[in-house]
């Protein structure tokens, strides 16, 4: 007995969506690790605000990681859990120590661009397969991340 036996979704589309979710999972895990580094290493006059903001962001990223991994399981896949695999698949690359708030904001914008692009791809594939669960998950993530893009661009202005 499998979850997918009850979801009434096309198996080929479900496999494709689960595969694309694996890439998103890898992206989110590297994004999360980078956020932790930014939280630990940020310096300067805005330290207190940025330190707290990066913690909020990595907590949110951890929640998204869990949601994506659970969705992969619901669709019959097995979520990757090795960083070596994440690093192979992720469009987001590890960073070294970065402590400047503006440099971090620019990096975050590039990461969010990658995440939103991958989420839009998944949204399209899921929508084509009438996979409302995955489509809604991606829509919610995109909406939150678009707001973060707006906030980061305002910060850099």
């Amino acid at each position: 007995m499998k979850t997918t036996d009850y979801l009434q979704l096309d198996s080929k589309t479900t496999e494709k969506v689960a595969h694309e979710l694996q890439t998103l999972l890898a992206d989110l895990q590297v994004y999360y690790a980078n956020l932790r580094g930014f939280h630990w290493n940020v310096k300067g006059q805005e330290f207190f605000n940025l330190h707290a903001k990066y913690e909020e962001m990595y907590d949110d990223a951890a929640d998204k990681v869990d949601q994506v991994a659970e969705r992969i399981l619901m669709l019959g896949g097995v979520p990757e859990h090795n960083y070596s695999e994440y690093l192979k698949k992720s469009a987001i690359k590890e960073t070294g120590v970065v402590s400047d708030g503006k440099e971090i904001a620019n990096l975050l914008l590039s990461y969010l661009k990658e995440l939103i692009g991958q989420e839009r791809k998944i949204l399209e594939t899921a929508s084509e397969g009438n996979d409302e669960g995955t489509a809604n998950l991606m829509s919610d993530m995109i909406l939150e991340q678009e707001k973060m893009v707006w906030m980061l661009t305002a910060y850099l202005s």
Side-chain angles (χ1 to χ4, degrees), residues 53 57 61 70 75 77 80-81 95 122 126 129 146:
K53 187 62 175 175
M57 290 175 74
E70 288 175 352
L75 297 177
E80 293 285 348
H81 64 276
T95 60
I122 295 166
E146 287 176 339

Side-chain angles (χ1 to χ4, degrees), residues 75-139:
L75 297 177
V78 177
E80 293 285 348
H81 64 276
N82 296 317
Y83 267 86
S84 58
E85 288 301 314
Y86 297 149
L87 293 171
K88 290 177 193 173
K89 291 180 180 177
S90 179
I92 296 172
K93 301 305 173 201
E94 293 178 303
T95 60
V97 174
V98 183
S99 56
D100 177 71
K102 292 197 184 291
E103 183 179 351
I104 291 169
N106 281 306
L107 286 168
L108 290 172
L109 284 168
S110 70
Y111 302 159
L112 289 167
K113 183 176 182 179
E114 290 294 337
L115 290 170
I116 291 169
Q118 181 63 18
E119 291 157 359
R120 287 189 196 288
K121 181 178 174 185
I122 295 166
L123 175 62
E124 182 178 337
T125 304
S127 295
E128 290 170 2
N130 295 317
D131 179 354
E132 294 292 325
T134 302
N136 287 338
L137 178 61
M138 292 302 102
S139 292

